[in-house]
Amino acid sequence: MTQIIIRNGLVYDPLNGVNGEEIDIGVKDGRIVDPSEINVAEAINIDAKGKVVMPGGIDIHSHIAGPKVNVGRLIRPEDHYLTNIPHRLPYKRAETGLTVPNTFKIGYEYARMGYTLVAEPASPPIKTRHTHEELNAIPMIDKMTFILVDSNWIALDLIQGGEKEVLAAYLGWLLYATKGYALKIVDPGSDVAWMMKGKGIDLDEQIPGYNLTPRDIIKATGEAAQVLNLPHKVHVHCNRLGYPGNYATTLKTMGLTKDITKLSEKPVLHITHVQFTGYKGDSWTNLESGGEDIAKELNANPNVTLDLGQVIPGRPATTMTADAPFEYVLYHLTRWKWSTSDVEVESASGIVPYRYRKKNYVNTIQWTIGLEVALLSRDMWRIYLTTDHPNGGPFIDYPKVIAWLMSKKAREDFMRELSQRALRKTSLPAIDRELSLYDIAVITRAASAKLLGLEKTRGHLGLGAEADIAIYDIDPRRVDLSKQYDKVIRAFRRAYMTIKSGEIVVRNGEIVRTTYGRTIYVKPELPIDLLKDLEKMISAKFKQYYSISLNNFIIGEHELKKGVEVALKTHLR
Amino acid sequence: MYLIKDNVFSLITGRTITQGISMESEGKFSKEYFKAVALIEMNPTDVSKLGIRDRAKVIGECGEVVLPVKASNDVPPGVVFIPMGPWANFILSSITDGTGMPTVKAVRVAIEATNEEVTSLIDILKAVRAKSLERIPQERPIKTGEKKVFEDVPCPFCGDLCDYLRIELDGERVVRNIGGCAISTAKFLNYHKDRVLKPFIRSGGRLVEVSLNEALEVASEIIAKAKYPLLYGWSNTCNEAIELGVELAEVTRGVIDNTSTICHGPTILGAQEVGSVRSTFGTIIQLADLVIFWGSNPAHAHANHYARLVMSEGKYVKGRKERKVVVIDVRRTPIASMADLFIRIEPGRDYELITALRMAIKDLEIEAKEIAGVSKEKVLELAEMVKTANYGIAFIGVGLTMTGAKHRNLQELIKLVQELNEWTKFAIIPMRGHYNVSGANNVDLWLTGYPYAVDFSRGFPKMIPGVTTAVDLLSNSEVDAALVVASDPVAHLPRRAVEHLSEIPVVVIDAKWSLTTTVADVIIPTGLVGIECEGTAYRMDDIPLRMKKLVDPPQGVLCDTEILSILLDKVKAKRGVV
Amino acid sequence: MAGVKTTYVVKLKSKPTVPIDSRNISPDKFAGRSLSDIKLLKVLEGGRETVLEELFDLEGPTTAVREPGEIEIVITGPETSKLKYLGYKMSNGKLVVKGDVGHLAGYKMSGGSIVIEGGAGSYLGAKMKGGTIEVFRDVGDFAGGKLQGEKPGKGMSGGTIVVHGNAGSQIGVGMSKGTIIVEGSAKVLVGAFMTGGSILVQRSCGGFAGARMTGGKIVIGGAVESVLPSFYVDSMVPSAGVKGRTINKQFMVFIGDVLVDGKGMLYVAYEDNKLLLEQYRELVEVALIE
């Protein structure tokens, strides 16, 4: 295996408390080792003088694979027309697409930005075999998928019946059966309402056909995640996403952490793409940012974490979510293309192409929310950089977001192009804070690893860590990051070098080889007695609800190109 | 408004169940297939009007055939029906209106009484200049003895991918198929018959048996040397094989197209324009109280479909009695007799009916008294019906995709259903033919961004309907070699396209002898996915299933994935891409 | 367009077996280049990259003028019907093809002129912004159209296409401006999704003309297979035409497509479609000018 030694780089490794120090890093057999273990004669020597060295980036929420991403590709051929990069065989396959790129472009672009692990955040269980096929086809990065359980008829039956243990066991079984990593709740209960009534519901409204509310689902699933000892607890997309005034629902949902019995030290709920659920006001015309209120709740509540879902004005986006009713509402605004799909027993989804316009009042408000939350947050370890790709914008624009976070000037320059009426209603223009490179390393890798429960081997450069490394060609001692933000964008857009599992895959911002990463999934250990009863129950429910056989639902380990199982000791007895 | 002039008729083609069974059991060279496919259905009044005794000459834009006549009241006067197959395709034009889809429904043909001999398959193959008619079918050797039972087997025939079959084996012989339809049973019980068991290359006009390596060597030479090869088929194999096919297209800078190009391609084009409204079988069983079959004939093409989805009892809808069934078609198909409402539409004019429905739903005044042969009152009745359903589903067939406005039909139908969601819940599922055609679209999408007809000539993917679609490429003589995997284009493409296949080198990878083997220069035997080989396939509602391997492939025969891997490596080596 | 000063003759050496991407055969690409450089311009034979001189014989001045408007390129050969993307994005000058051309001729052109002495494939002048294209024989589908998946209005946005023969389906689909004239007949969906511009088909056309058009004008001088119910009859007029081409016969005028609140005008020759149009006659309020 390759040995690499990276010398003289400025290392930002927050999990090990390293803040821009010149430290040499050794890589051997895919792991970080002490430089003294490297055979210098055989090793690749990299002089990183004047460059920034960070652990590989980790994206905790990006729609990169699965049925809905593929339908996005299907309905948007025009998204591909002017975005082609020809293949360079045998090193690199052909790339196409901007908001819904092909699998190759997804892997390559993440690698070019120094990212090495990405989570697909929403896969309907019955179609997760498809999600894995796409994950298998994405080169360069490691990956994982979260499993949708927000409107699952079997889970709802169990929640309604108060069968907490069985629910936990069922969800644990489901994660392993689908080779998923975490539980995802999207607009809980709403897809039931959508399939039956064509509408969505709020946190305390009744779910049609059940004596339950979305609040009950979040609470029950949250507790099941505790019992199962999941490394990443529950990933929540709040109710009423995309509606003016929804910040109140978000605050209420964040507050649910206190109702969930904690069995571990970790935060209890992760609220995702909070920008989309951070709207104050009661209509689009008087929309305001709920960013400040949300940041306040975040600062007060240590059991909750947030990712931004930052929007990128001036770029096309393709909105896609398992929040089917929301997409239907959005379709009424755009009146162009709309895709929706009802998935039996489990979920539904919607897709609508969208463009965030710079001069648009609402889009400007949306732009400020994500940044406000990040800049007003006191604990950088509980926020994460995302655009909810491709909902707020394509992930290739992360460097722009990094610049906005690091430079007030970047924000001011951009704000000149936005709706001034909207800006007058937000607090963002008055915020002076500028994040440091260290902060950026936290919100794009260290904290992300921790949130996913992978901080032992990922998101840092300590001994024994996975050798996922990004080197960026920018010298904070020579460049004024706050003023020369264009250099920040350039550096983060194209990494000087990306090392994935100990191999150099990107040099000077370009792919030098195509490799395939691993897919990480969990296997919660279930007590045998419980498992037997559970299988009986599931088998009966399958016959009643599903149109495929139980046997054909379960995804085999061999169906993953390179699966990595994380065995979990649960609290189930 | 459909004019019937003298002996001019509107020709409809389509699948029939006997066509499916005969194809899957005895093969396309059999008497059974001939009996099932070489015929024309006409209304009895037309038969007597033309003075036809037992056969007729059918004259199309591209040729003429003589066929036995079957008098039937299922087709209205002025309309004739020929089952999908070489006879129908022989007379059809290859013009696709820029959609990649030839017009195979509502085609004007002239018909006259004749005493000439019925056109044989041999006549047709000769006329398209097939390279030879030679074929060397074999039964695969079968070990018997050990009794085995496989449960929950997904069926590798149609897009319904029924995954509840119980397959009983005596050693390697399939003795029972419980749960499968007639075609499924024919496929499983006869899987060992009419097989290609050895690799062949064409040499001096004759098929010569060669080693697998030699066949692959010649095949890779053909493909690597081509300036612009077409890689066609892909709907009867697994996703893993299709992924290799896409790579092969990329490496050779050719085109990969799958059979949706002549099936539901227009449905997909419609989705590219406006989106889609989809559902899955389970949802339909649980919730649907209105089922529409539009231009689709599940009784013949998807035999379990009706019982599985319309008769089944769900959580909120208690089976057939709580479901309304509407059939919209140009002829009274078998499913029509089971419907609560049958609407006969004039061939090729679906777009007008959809337009009128959209207008009725929006309360826009309709000035015309009759639309596409349907009275205004009936349009309004149907509009009310769809608007007031709780959960409606439209199963759409190739009756919509192959005629008139083609993909615009589908685009409008999707629009209609999108608008219906203002009042109710409504979705569309296209009745996909081959068991993994949906998978072929999906794989192409994730690897290239396009669902079919993907061109790599510039080193990146591009899809331009009417330009990069297989029928257009072939009928314009624009490709210089072809690889055909798990498909039979000679049986299913229009004549002009088939003729080009006779003119260029062709590599065929197939488990069974097909009409396309008559134009092949290399034939490579393969295992049958879902019986001898494993892999993933997607149901018509995009539910992914794992196809099972029940028995080993015949000795010396590899699966598609293995063959394509070797072929890919050889082509890469020959083109210096390593 | 400035006057032509130099002419190049580009002749295919042999009959191609696969399409040839000839987008570089254009006055813009030739302008300012030496002949030897021109000979090395890239072409694609199928998927195989090669240079112009391998497939074509070139004759012309040793150095091309700098102004594309002063360049004329004459394309000949044993069979030019497989040449694709001729005149792609050309801004000025002239292309003359002594035979048929393949697909996508004049795609995205913005000026100058293309004269095709034979017929043309599909997507002729698709997305063109300006200039003129003249075709002596038949053309394929989507002439002056948009690409798959694009919004209505993304088709041709300027310039003129004149076809002396017949046209295929969906001519002018999604066009927003400019003129298409077909002296023969056309197939289905003439001017579907157009937002502006005008189309004249001198003879008959297939069904669904003007489907979902929001603006613009379509004149059909012969028989039509159908008029969509989403077009409301407006009046009868004694003649109709576009851009100085007038057909002097009675036309029934429809406005549509009402499904998209369209304000497009569809002119259908009355006598040629009497059977179909009679039912609308009583709805026409304006007195007929006999």
Side-chain angles (χ1 to χ4, degrees), chain B residues 1 18 28 56 68 79 93-94 108 141 160 225 247 256 276 285 294 300 329 331 334 345 370 376 425 443 459 530 562:
Chain B
M1 252 347 98
T18 43
K28 293 190 183 111
V79 175
S93 149
S94 61
R108 279 169 202 213
D160 269 331
K225 257 175 55 188
E247 189 172 355
I256 183 161
S276 63
I285 294 168
W294 194 324
H300 278 173
D329 214 314
R331 61 186 186 116
I345 181 174
E370 197 184 89
K376 188 157 119 183
K425 285 283 295 169
V443 171
E562 298 162 304

Side-chain angles (χ1 to χ4, degrees), chain A residues 150-199:
Chain A
D150 49 81
S151 289
N152 185 304
W153 293 11
I154 299 177
L156 288 171
D157 288 349
L158 295 171
I159 297 170
Q160 179 144 305
E163 298 178 73
K164 285 188 181 182
E165 274 220 325
V166 189
L167 174 72
Y170 165 65
L171 295 176
W173 172 88
L174 186 66
L175 280 174
Y176 179 64
T178 55
K179 305 295 175 278
Y181 190 78
L183 301 171
K184 171 76 180 295
I185 295 180
V186 171
D187 197 353
S190 280
D191 283 343
V192 175
W194 166 252
M195 278 205 247
M196 301 199 37
K197 309 268 182 215
K199 60 167 198 146

Side-chain angles (χ1 to χ4, degrees), chain B residues 529-540:
Chain B
V529 175
I531 299 177
E532 297 164 335
C533 301
E534 218 189 286
T536 306
Y538 287 20
R539 204 164 70 181
M540 64 169 75

Side-chain angles (χ1 to χ4, degrees), chain B residues 97-98 227 269 273 355 365 465, chain C residues 47 123 141 148-149 169 212 232:
Chain B
D97 295 314
K227 290 170 187 158
L269 298 180
E273 294 275 85
T355 298
E365 193 203 336
Chain C
Y123 299 93
D141 310 302
Q148 184 58 17
S169 300
R212 312 306 171 251
Y232 288 156

Side-chain angles (χ1 to χ4, degrees), chain B residues 230-283:
Chain B
L230 169 66
L231 316 182
Y232 181 78
W234 309 106
S235 308
N236 276 330
T237 186
C238 60
N239 285 0
E240 293 79 354
I242 301 162
E243 290 196 296
L244 293 165
V246 172
E247 189 172 355
L248 195 55
E250 189 171 338
V251 167
T252 55
R253 292 199 170 200
V255 176
I256 183 161
D257 199 2
N258 55 59
T259 59
S260 49
T261 201
I262 52 156
C263 191
H264 269 289
T267 309
I268 294 165
L269 298 180
Q272 285 184 327
E273 294 275 85
V274 291
S276 63
V277 186
R278 303 291 302 273
S279 187
T280 68
F281 287 1
T283 312

Side-chain angles (χ1 to χ4, degrees), chain B residues 128-195:
Chain B
V128 298
R129 298 187 296 279
K131 289 165 191 166
S132 78
L133 303 178
E134 193 183 5
R135 47 198 299 280
I136 304 148
Q138 286 178 291
E139 261 194 32
R140 74 159 268 178
I142 273 184
K143 284 189 236 121
T144 52
E146 196 194 344
K147 304 256 187 285
K148 269 187 281 185
V149 176
F150 288 88
E151 303 277 1
D152 302 328
V153 176
C155 173
F157 179 69
C158 80
D160 269 331
L161 220 60
C162 301
D163 72 319
Y164 45 79
L165 309 190
R166 178 187 158 99
I167 303 293
E168 297 181 9
L169 292 164
D170 174 3
E172 292 170 334
R173 180 184 300 276
V174 178
V175 292
R176 271 182 92 183
N177 170 346
I178 300 166
C181 68
I183 302 177
S184 169
T185 304
K187 173 150 191 167
F188 275 95
L189 266 58
N190 299 295
Y191 85 96
H192 56 289
K193 289 186 190 162
D194 199 31
R195 294 294 295 264

